[in-house]
Amino acid sequence: MKKYLRLLACVMAGLLFLSPSPALLVSAAETAQSSETSGKKTSSDKTYKVLSGDTLWKIADEIYGDGGKWNVIYEANKDKLSSPGSIIPGQKLVIPASVESAADKVSKESSKKGSKKSSKKSSKDKSGKQSEDSSADNSEENSKETPEAASAEGSEDVTEGGSAESSEAGSEESGIEPMTEFWTEGSRPAQELRDYVAKVTDPSDTANFIPEKDRIAVFDMDGTLVCETYYTYYDTMMFIEYCLHDHPERVSDELKEVASAIKPGYVADETLARNFAKAYAGMTVEEFRDYVVEFGQKKTASFNNMRYIDNFYLPMVELVKYLYDNGFTIYVISGTERTTTRAIVANSPIKDYVTPNHVIGTDFEIKVKGHETESSNMNYKYADGDELVLTGGFIQKNLNGNKTIYIEREIGQRPVLAFGNSGSDTSMMNYAIDSRNPYPAQAYMVVADDSVREWGKQDWAEKSAEYESMGYIPVSMKDDFAQIYPEDITKAEEQYVPDDAQEQEDEELAPAA
């Protein structure tokens, strides 16, 4: 009898332990009532903010402890996902409390017995700790399912920015297709890029998948990422301003003549770059960088309300961010001098996506101050407090074949995406799409054919046909860019005002003595 009573006591204790607490019973009742009232998702559902590198498998593994439950999340978000691999960073997904797979649901609906299957539930309390109520009853086959088109394996900081949030806070669910804010609807190059990114970031696409470490994208700067304002390049106008207006006392008469002679249609060749290097001789790297930023605050005469630093194409900024969010490493490979390019990028809308060590440009000679005339840097050592200065010497112009050499020297592998806008970029682009590239690669060429919002004069039919024949995907600024600059920036009536005319105007406006 005593044994029986002890056994009964153990059974009762076990039942009490397994039974839900009154608080949980109330919570379940409230959840059911809420579900009936809303007719949509229950209050126990959560939302998850997608991070760069996330896949549905990765999110399911984080939330449910089982990546095979990715299809539960997919089924709950079909209203905003065109495919399992179409999730984008920043998007908010509904995370159902129930983790039954789609196959489980079909099986249960078709079952004549109507038996209920237990599901694994996951929730997070205010402290961020996760608790599990029960294990999932899905088959092993379903647990091994993978999305047909998942995103690439990404960063491991999911819990930092992707923690589950209350479904009530999910009113900002985007579901917006990438590259549609500043790109026109139906843009062919935008769609080509979306399709490319989808396949190379899909681990299940073994023929096209590219590991994140090998997703290298290279961009030319002038004319590709930014507009070529006034005469053209940022560095050219900076040279003119430095020699003729800001610091004429620091440069020779010869350099002033060079600056005065520059007119639209000039050639930005190595000879001119050598003169640029001479102009800044004696400046420390920091002083030179500061001047680049200072010049950027000046307004260009080519556009209304545009400083030189404001000249980034919004569609290209959107494109850079899209690639960055999908695990691509972005390099800017410019014909503009390296320190200049770094300063421009560091003060631009793409500053968060391109680090200084991912900027490659034309090189001016730099030495430690006090050793400028020594033939070899091996003759001295850097000491605490030393300054690096520009000597006025020139090393190499980063155009044409040099872009390919710089990529090999500083990156050490072929890019899989390349973006340019002129013949001087073709070597870089050909290097990317070379048949020996172990990964699928693409090259895009921006065509300056918009003469209304921009100063483009290129003939689209001619240039696009030329680029197509070279294996590139042409991008029309006129047809593919829905918006080029912020709304308050508009094209000026004249692209430039000759210096002599400006000086005459200044004299006429000057007050009489």
Side-chain angles (χ1 to χ4, degrees), residues 9-23:
C10 288
V11 171
M12 293 299 292
L15 289 173
L16 287 172
F17 178 79
L18 294 173
S19 298
S21 67

PDB file of all heavy atoms in Angstrom, residues 9-23:
ATOM      1  N   ALA A   9       2.012   9.461  -5.554  1.00  0.00           N
ATOM      2  CA  ALA A   9       2.544  10.799  -5.253  1.00  0.00           C
ATOM      3  C   ALA A   9       3.510  11.245  -6.343  1.00  0.00           C
ATOM      4  O   ALA A   9       3.524  12.406  -6.758  1.00  0.00           O
ATOM      5  CB  ALA A   9       3.232  10.771  -3.885  1.00  0.00           C
ATOM      6  N   CYS A  10       4.345  10.303  -6.820  1.00  0.00           N
ATOM      7  CA  CYS A  10       5.314  10.640  -7.883  1.00  0.00           C
ATOM      8  C   CYS A  10       4.593  11.026  -9.173  1.00  0.00           C
ATOM      9  O   CYS A  10       4.962  11.964  -9.870  1.00  0.00           O
ATOM     10  CB  CYS A  10       6.244   9.450  -8.134  1.00  0.00           C
ATOM     11  SG  CYS A  10       7.421   9.182  -6.794  1.00  0.00           S
ATOM     12  N   VAL A  11       3.526  10.266  -9.484  1.00  0.00           N
ATOM     13  CA  VAL A  11       2.765  10.554 -10.702  1.00  0.00           C
ATOM     14  C   VAL A  11       2.125  11.928 -10.631  1.00  0.00           C
ATOM     15  O   VAL A  11       2.155  12.723 -11.577  1.00  0.00           O
ATOM     16  CB  VAL A  11       1.706   9.474 -10.947  1.00  0.00           C
ATOM     17  CG1 VAL A  11       0.768   9.880 -12.084  1.00  0.00           C
ATOM     18  CG2 VAL A  11       2.366   8.140 -11.257  1.00  0.00           C
ATOM     19  N   MET A  12       1.518  12.243  -9.487  1.00  0.00           N
ATOM     20  CA  MET A  12       0.878  13.545  -9.310  1.00  0.00           C
ATOM     21  C   MET A  12       1.890  14.676  -9.406  1.00  0.00           C
ATOM     22  O   MET A  12       1.641  15.732  -9.998  1.00  0.00           O
ATOM     23  CB  MET A  12       0.161  13.581  -7.943  1.00  0.00           C
ATOM     24  CG  MET A  12      -1.019  12.652  -7.843  1.00  0.00           C
ATOM     25  SD  MET A  12      -2.292  13.055  -9.050  1.00  0.00           S
ATOM     26  CE  MET A  12      -2.842  14.640  -8.411  1.00  0.00           C
ATOM     27  N   ALA A  13       3.073  14.464  -8.821  1.00  0.00           N
ATOM     28  CA  ALA A  13       4.113  15.500  -8.894  1.00  0.00           C
ATOM     29  C   ALA A  13       4.538  15.725 -10.332  1.00  0.00           C
ATOM     30  O   ALA A  13       4.758  16.853 -10.777  1.00  0.00           O
ATOM     31  CB  ALA A  13       5.310  15.071  -8.022  1.00  0.00           C
ATOM     32  N   GLY A  14       4.655  14.608 -11.065  1.00  0.00           N
ATOM     33  CA  GLY A  14       5.048  14.738 -12.473  1.00  0.00           C
ATOM     34  C   GLY A  14       4.020  15.489 -13.282  1.00  0.00           C
ATOM     35  O   GLY A  14       4.333  16.308 -14.145  1.00  0.00           O
ATOM     36  N   LEU A  15       2.744  15.218 -13.015  1.00  0.00           N
ATOM     37  CA  LEU A  15       1.692  15.918 -13.745  1.00  0.00           C
ATOM     38  C   LEU A  15       1.706  17.398 -13.444  1.00  0.00           C
ATOM     39  O   LEU A  15       1.497  18.247 -14.305  1.00  0.00           O
ATOM     40  CB  LEU A  15       0.322  15.319 -13.381  1.00  0.00           C
ATOM     41  CG  LEU A  15       0.047  13.905 -13.921  1.00  0.00           C
ATOM     42  CD1 LEU A  15      -1.271  13.365 -13.342  1.00  0.00           C
ATOM     43  CD2 LEU A  15      -0.011  13.932 -15.440  1.00  0.00           C
ATOM     44  N   LEU A  16       1.943  17.739 -12.160  1.00  0.00           N
ATOM     45  CA  LEU A  16       2.011  19.149 -11.787  1.00  0.00           C
ATOM     46  C   LEU A  16       3.182  19.829 -12.477  1.00  0.00           C
ATOM     47  O   LEU A  16       3.118  20.975 -12.904  1.00  0.00           O
ATOM     48  CB  LEU A  16       2.142  19.278 -10.263  1.00  0.00           C
ATOM     49  CG  LEU A  16       0.886  18.974  -9.460  1.00  0.00           C
ATOM     50  CD1 LEU A  16       1.220  18.958  -7.964  1.00  0.00           C
ATOM     51  CD2 LEU A  16      -0.207  19.994  -9.755  1.00  0.00           C
ATOM     52  N   PHE A  17       4.300  19.086 -12.579  1.00  0.00           N
ATOM     53  CA  PHE A  17       5.501  19.655 -13.220  1.00  0.00           C
ATOM     54  C   PHE A  17       5.277  19.903 -14.698  1.00  0.00           C
ATOM     55  O   PHE A  17       5.711  20.902 -15.265  1.00  0.00           O
ATOM     56  CB  PHE A  17       6.679  18.691 -13.023  1.00  0.00           C
ATOM     57  CG  PHE A  17       7.939  19.160 -13.683  1.00  0.00           C
ATOM     58  CD1 PHE A  17       8.727  20.133 -13.093  1.00  0.00           C
ATOM     59  CD2 PHE A  17       8.312  18.634 -14.925  1.00  0.00           C
ATOM     60  CE1 PHE A  17       9.874  20.580 -13.708  1.00  0.00           C
ATOM     61  CE2 PHE A  17       9.472  19.078 -15.531  1.00  0.00           C
ATOM     62  CZ  PHE A  17      10.256  20.034 -14.936  1.00  0.00           C
ATOM     63  N   LEU A  18       4.594  18.966 -15.379  1.00  0.00           N
ATOM     64  CA  LEU A  18       4.385  19.073 -16.818  1.00  0.00           C
ATOM     65  C   LEU A  18       3.242  20.005 -17.175  1.00  0.00           C
ATOM     66  O   LEU A  18       3.156  20.495 -18.288  1.00  0.00           O
ATOM     67  CB  LEU A  18       4.098  17.690 -17.413  1.00  0.00           C
ATOM     68  CG  LEU A  18       5.270  16.685 -17.349  1.00  0.00           C
ATOM     69  CD1 LEU A  18       4.799  15.313 -17.811  1.00  0.00           C
ATOM     70  CD2 LEU A  18       6.421  17.171 -18.232  1.00  0.00           C
ATOM     71  N   SER A  19       2.330  20.253 -16.244  1.00  0.00           N
ATOM     72  CA  SER A  19       1.165  21.084 -16.542  1.00  0.00           C
ATOM     73  C   SER A  19       1.573  22.535 -16.673  1.00  0.00           C
ATOM     74  O   SER A  19       2.437  23.017 -15.941  1.00  0.00           O
ATOM     75  CB  SER A  19       0.123  20.959 -15.418  1.00  0.00           C
ATOM     76  OG  SER A  19      -0.325  19.637 -15.313  1.00  0.00           O
ATOM     77  N   PRO A  20       0.958  23.265 -17.590  1.00  0.00           N
ATOM     78  CA  PRO A  20       1.265  24.689 -17.711  1.00  0.00           C
ATOM     79  C   PRO A  20       0.798  25.446 -16.489  1.00  0.00           C
ATOM     80  O   PRO A  20      -0.199  25.085 -15.861  1.00  0.00           O
ATOM     81  CB  PRO A  20       0.493  25.117 -18.970  1.00  0.00           C
ATOM     82  CG  PRO A  20      -0.606  24.117 -19.104  1.00  0.00           C
ATOM     83  CD  PRO A  20      -0.065  22.821 -18.570  1.00  0.00           C
ATOM     84  N   SER A  21       1.512  26.483 -16.167  1.00  0.00           N
ATOM     85  CA  SER A  21       1.138  27.299 -15.015  1.00  0.00           C
ATOM     86  C   SER A  21      -0.123  28.072 -15.325  1.00  0.00           C
ATOM     87  O   SER A  21      -0.484  28.261 -16.476  1.00  0.00           O
ATOM     88  CB  SER A  21       2.267  28.278 -14.693  1.00  0.00           C
ATOM     89  OG  SER A  21       2.386  29.216 -15.729  1.00  0.00           O
ATOM     90  N   PRO A  22      -0.848  28.562 -14.305  1.00  0.00           N
ATOM     91  CA  PRO A  22      -2.051  29.379 -14.550  1.00  0.00           C
ATOM     92  C   PRO A  22      -1.745  30.567 -15.440  1.00  0.00           C
ATOM     93  O   PRO A  22      -2.547  30.946 -16.280  1.00  0.00           O
ATOM     94  CB  PRO A  22      -2.456  29.807 -13.131  1.00  0.00           C
ATOM     95  CG  PRO A  22      -1.935  28.728 -12.238  1.00  0.00           C
ATOM     96  CD  PRO A  22      -0.651  28.284 -12.862  1.00  0.00           C
ATOM     97  N   ALA A  23      -0.533  31.147 -15.249  1.00  0.00           N
ATOM     98  CA  ALA A  23      -0.172  32.310 -16.066  1.00  0.00           C
ATOM     99  C   ALA A  23      -0.093  31.934 -17.529  1.00  0.00           C
ATOM    100  O   ALA A  23      -0.547  32.673 -18.410  1.00  0.00           O
ATOM    101  CB  ALA A  23       1.174  32.870 -15.593  1.00  0.00           C
TER     102      ALA A  23
END
